[in-house]
Amino acid sequence: MRGWLNWRALEKHNVWGVRRKDDEEAATWSASAAQWEQRARREGDAARKQVEALTEISSEDSVLEVGCGTGPMTVWLARKARCVTAQDFSAEMLDYVRQKAEAEKLDNISLLRGNWFSMEPDVDFPKHDIAVARHAPCQSDIVKFSRCAKKYCYSLWNCAPAEREAYTFNPGIPTDPKTSPHRRYNEPNGRLFGYNVHFNILYDLGANPTLEIVTQERTVIRERRDEVLDALFGGQADKLPEPFRERMEANIVRQADGSFCFRQVTKMSILGWDPSELHLENLG
Amino acid sequence: MAGWLNWREIERNNDWGVRSRSDATAELWNDAAAQWEQRAQREEDFSRRQVEALNLPPDATVLDICCGTGPLTIWLAQRVKSVTAFDYGEAMLDHVRRKAGQRGLNNVTCMQGNWYSMEPGVDLPQADIAVTRHSPAQGDILKFSRCARKYCYSLWNCAPYPQPGQAERHTGRWIRSDNEADNFGPRPDGRLYGYNVHFNLLYDMGANPTLRYVTDTTEYIRDSREALYAAVTNGRRPEPELARLLDKRITRLEDGRWCYRMVSKISILGWDPSELNIE
């Protein structure tokens, strides 16, 4: 692969690359399906706006959603495409997808359960017209993900949480078993190992990827400071990891009238590419 | 600047970074104003679609940096409050004035100067939006970023030639020196030194750039292969490497004539200059 760096080697150290690939690891996600569903509801209309930005999807297309979780995007994809296959390891997550499909009377969603890392595109499941992933384990290997689609691929990646500076200079979240027992990995610097790595892999392989940014704003105002985080995290603020909680609290601003305000701007990058542009023989 | 590489240093070696900055070299561009205008006319619809792909508020002021004969200027002016068309070449700017007049566009102002000796916000007035396509400003994307208060667009050719493993170091005449004899030779690898350098540079400085593409297809049909080469390369004999590349895409039609279908693609990189942590 010709390019300035071996971005494929760097990808192995991104936030998905450093995680374990086995079923036991996948099951830890499954155990928190209820929290993920809460998070999906907190998002407001973010998923709708993101799916709106996937302009290559037409009503003729079949879509594979890899690592769909509880399906915040699935229902919107199903309204836009001919049909959607929602893949996830977790039966609990897929149950939420099934419930949503039934509630919305969408009969074009099929579920595919399995561990992404032990599945091979075009072998264990057919290629679809379009492949979509947002915040998913398949983002540890964007070339394998590219093999899922015939026409177009979309990879959605968070590029700005609450405050830009803290993120840009995020040195990575270290794992300390005493303070964060639920974290088992050192999280890499979100900016160095961000969507730039995927852009460069795809560019070096011959694609000309598109990039769009979808911004979501949310403002919470409460009388007391502690009420703000509770409102944001559904009364679970005391369970947040300490560094994350500190960062969130630093952004609560006291207003002139004495109330407390939290303004959250999140940005989602949407990388899109035609997998047939990739010269995979250059992988080397 | 925290990042994987020093993209600023790489940028100094891109197609624009390696060129001479003298007025005499800039004058060589101006000498060919008539040919550039011919090309602008051929690509009029392609240029229109490029401007269509930009987000332009109707009340915006736009700076068109190194506008040439104004292929983008005339379309920009129809969509925004006003456009300042900046270029070194007086002959180029004459075409801009003529075309604006023909179209009844009275919101275009021409400004002459050498990009390299001017400073945005000092002797080059800032605008809401800065646009540049295929220009010396692409030798220093941070200086270009200082031209705009709200948004920047850099348009960069990414097809036909720059593909991995295909004619990366294409040879030809390119204006980099006021000594014309120096203006033939291999250019920087179009893919390694492409718009990826600007994407990475801006990303590392804190921006989240958008990327879009506009594609155009032109069919050349001639009676012989040689005539087809000449048509595609503006009468020059193609280097063997380029000829091999062209041959892959040349087909013989049923009536015996030869056809080359050229797909041109231009990348449009967009960013908010206020996102850059210049310090």
Side-chain angles (χ1 to χ4, degrees):
Chain A
M1 179 158 61
R2 293 176 57 96
W4 289 105
L5 285 174
N6 186 344
W7 297 99
R8 290 270 285 165
L10 296 175
E11 186 189 37
K12 291 193 168 79
H13 301 276
N14 77 4
V15 73
W16 297 105
V18 295
R19 292 192 157 98
R20 270 164 48 196
K21 317 282 190 274
D22 55 27
D23 286 4
E24 192 191 340
E25 170 76 9
T28 63
W29 289 91
S30 189
S32 50
Q35 280 105 299
W36 282 104
E37 177 54 14
Q38 277 188 3
R39 177 168 164 169
R41 287 178 194 170
R42 279 202 304 275
E43 271 187 28
D45 63 346
R48 178 185 62 75
K49 288 200 287 190
Q50 289 156 14
V51 171
E52 234 166 52
L54 311 182
T55 51
E56 294 291 322
I57 302 179
S58 82
S59 56
E60 309 286 299
D61 290 326
S62 62
V63 174
L64 177 69
E65 192 190 359
V66 181
C68 62
T70 68
M73 300 186 76
T74 318
V75 287
W76 297 108
L77 289 167
R79 290 190 181 110
K80 193 178 176 101
R82 178 168 57 80
C83 62
V84 178
T85 304
Q87 180 274 339
D88 207 276
F89 174 82
S90 159
E92 285 82 356
M93 301 265 200
L94 291 175
D95 263 344
Y96 283 105
V97 181
R98 188 181 297 114
Q99 287 165 26
K100 285 178 197 176
E102 280 167 14
E104 303 287 326
K105 297 192 168 46
L106 291 163
D107 58 4
N108 60 343
I109 297 176
S110 25
L111 307 178
L112 175 65
R113 201 188 88 82
N115 183 336
W116 163 259
F117 295 108
S118 52
M119 298 165 92
E120 183 54 37
D122 215 15
V123 177
D124 297 306
F125 53 86
K127 283 195 186 205
H128 288 54
D129 295 321
I130 312 270
V132 178
R134 185 186 86 172
H135 193 56
C138 62
Q139 291 172 325
S140 62
D141 183 350
I142 209 71
V143 172
K144 178 178 175 184
F145 173 70
S146 298
R147 293 203 303 269
C148 293
K150 286 181 281 200
K151 282 162 71 173
Y152 217 72
C153 297
Y154 284 112
S155 172
L156 287 77
W157 185 285
N158 276 318
C159 58
E163 73 291 37
R164 183 163 66 91
E165 288 73 17
Y167 183 74
T168 305
F169 302 110
N170 171 18
I173 300 172
T175 306
D176 180 346
K178 275 175 260 153
T179 56
S180 25
H182 56 287
R183 279 187 196 277
R184 290 178 290 155
Y185 303 100
N186 288 318
E187 286 204 8
N189 178 306
R191 194 72 186 168
L192 275 175
F193 293 92
Y195 63 94
N196 58 323
V197 174
H198 289 153
F199 168 83
N200 282 293
I201 290 174
L202 298 165
Y203 179 92
D204 288 350
L205 285 171
N208 290 304
T210 57
L211 259 173
E212 294 292 333
I213 308 287
V214 177
T215 301
Q216 183 80 357
E217 279 192 39
R218 185 158 182 235
T219 305
V220 173
I221 297 172
R222 290 291 184 278
E223 295 290 314
R224 294 205 328 268
R225 186 178 282 272
D226 56 336
E227 287 174 335
V228 176
L229 281 192
D230 271 343
L232 280 167
F233 296 99
Q236 310 266 314
D238 54 326
K239 292 185 184 136
L240 295 174
E242 204 45 46
F244 180 67
R245 189 193 159 90
E246 277 169 19
R247 274 196 292 158
M248 287 287 160
E249 280 184 339
N251 279 278
I252 301 175
V253 178
R254 182 146 201 195
Q255 304 194 108
D257 66 359
S259 64
F260 291 88
C261 173
F262 178 90
R263 188 168 158 271
Q264 188 181 44
V265 178
T266 51
K267 279 187 185 175
M268 184 68 77
S269 65
I270 302 180
L271 194 64
W273 67 99
D274 174 349
S276 73
E277 287 188 331
L278 302 176
H279 295 248
L280 294 180
E281 71 278 7
N282 293 358
L283 264 179
Chain B
M1 177 159 59
W4 289 108
L5 287 172
N6 186 342
W7 296 102
R8 288 274 282 167
E9 193 58 34
I10 291 171
E11 185 192 38
R12 292 157 72 96
N13 295 290
N14 78 2
D15 213 349
W16 298 103
V18 295
R19 292 182 200 227
S20 151
R21 298 165 179 226
S22 72
D23 285 359
T25 306
E27 196 59 56
L28 289 173
W29 288 95
N30 194 43
D31 291 347
Q35 282 104 296
W36 283 107
E37 177 53 17
Q38 276 182 7
R39 178 167 166 176
Q41 283 172 21
R42 271 203 314 274
E43 297 181 351
E44 190 174 283
D45 189 61
F46 190 22
S47 296
R48 179 186 62 76
R49 288 187 291 118
Q50 290 163 26
V51 172
E52 229 167 52
L54 313 180
N55 294 342
L56 299 168
D59 60 347
T61 59
V62 174
L63 192 51
D64 186 356
I65 295 287
C66 304
C67 60
T69 70
L72 299 177
T73 318
I74 51 162
W75 299 115
L76 289 165
Q78 292 173 44
R79 287 191 49 198
V80 298
K81 191 169 94 183
S82 65
V83 180
T84 302
F86 171 82
D87 204 273
Y88 178 83
E90 279 294 356
M92 300 270 204
L93 293 175
D94 279 343
H95 284 287
V96 180
R97 287 186 200 99
R98 176 183 54 78
K99 288 193 283 191
Q102 282 169 354
R103 287 170 171 77
L105 297 165
N106 53 17
N107 59 344
V108 176
T109 311
C110 290
M111 184 175 171
Q112 192 275 336
N114 184 333
W115 162 258
Y116 296 110
S117 56
M118 298 175 88
E119 183 51 38
V122 180
D123 46 8
L124 186 58
Q126 284 182 323
D128 295 331
I129 295 175
V131 177
T132 198
R133 182 182 86 179
H134 190 56
S135 95
Q138 292 169 328
D140 184 350
I141 209 73
L142 291 186
K143 178 175 177 183
F144 172 69
S145 298
R146 294 200 298 273
C147 293
R149 288 183 290 261
K150 291 181 179 160
Y151 215 74
C152 297
Y153 285 111
S154 171
L155 287 77
W156 186 283
N157 279 317
C158 54
Y161 301 137
Q163 289 290 321
Q166 293 179 334
E168 289 99 346
R169 298 185 66 81
H170 54 288
T171 305
R173 177 179 184 268
W174 55 308
I175 299 166
R176 60 176 167 174
S177 162
D178 45 335
N179 174 19
E180 185 62 344
D182 297 337
N183 285 329
F184 293 83
R187 298 166 66 151
D189 181 317
R191 193 74 185 164
L192 273 176
Y193 293 92
Y195 63 94
N196 58 322
V197 174
H198 289 152
F199 165 80
N200 281 295
L201 201 159
L202 297 165
Y203 178 92
D204 288 351
M205 304 279 299
N208 289 303
T210 58
L211 258 173
R212 297 169 184 169
Y213 304 86
V214 179
T215 301
D216 194 52
T217 305
T218 314
E219 268 192 3
Y220 294 87
I221 297 173
R222 294 293 185 277
D223 289 332
S224 69
R225 189 183 282 267
E226 283 65 34
L228 195 53
Y229 284 156
V232 173
T233 60
N234 281 331
R236 292 194 309 273
R237 200 177 162 71
E239 295 286 315
E241 194 183 2
L242 180 57
R244 272 196 303 279
L245 173 65
L246 294 175
D247 284 346
K248 281 188 194 164
R249 308 202 175 174
I250 288 174
T251 51
R252 188 119 200 226
L253 302 175
E254 278 182 15
D255 62 9
R257 291 185 301 164
W258 300 81
C259 174
Y260 173 70
R261 213 166 149 265
M262 184 174 81
V263 178
S264 307
K265 198 179 229 188
I266 203 147
S267 62
I268 303 179
L269 193 65
W271 67 99
D272 175 350
S274 74
E275 287 188 331
L276 302 173
N277 299 312
I278 303 284
E279 71 280 6

